Amino acid sequence: GSVTRLAHSERLTALFEQHASFVARVLRRLGLRDGDVDDGLQEVFLLAQSKLDVIEPPWSAVPLVLNRA
């Protein structure tokens, strides 16, 4: 119910806050222009949201999980 959605939202927020700057740097190194980085971040974290049930703190598996999309 709503408690589960809240916990899910809090986990996604924490994941974003901890990894957004790193993901943005990686996207730039992969060739995304600065104007496209926000869109790339959105795509990455939408994917992370869909896999949040298999991503556990301390988020060490994030690169592995996202790479297997």
Side-chain angles (χ1 to χ4, degrees):
S2 62
V3 173
T4 303
R5 282 192 299 268
L6 180 59
H8 188 80
S9 176
E10 289 173 351
R11 289 179 65 211
L12 184 60
T13 298
L15 181 66
F16 182 83
E17 289 174 351
Q18 292 176 19
H19 294 283
S21 62
F22 170 75
V23 173
R25 286 191 308 271
V26 170
L27 293 173
R28 284 185 189 96
R29 287 182 186 152
L30 291 173
L32 263 67
R33 292 174 290 174
D34 286 339
D36 295 328
V37 170
D38 284 342
D39 290 337
L41 276 173
Q42 183 177 8
E43 289 184 34
V44 167
F45 284 96
L46 281 172
L47 175 61
Q49 180 181 16
S50 73
K51 296 180 177 278
L52 201 55
D53 59 332
V54 297
I55 300 173
E56 295 293 331
W59 317 117
S60 60
V62 169
L64 295 174
V65 171
L66 295 179
N67 192 37
R68 295 180 183 167

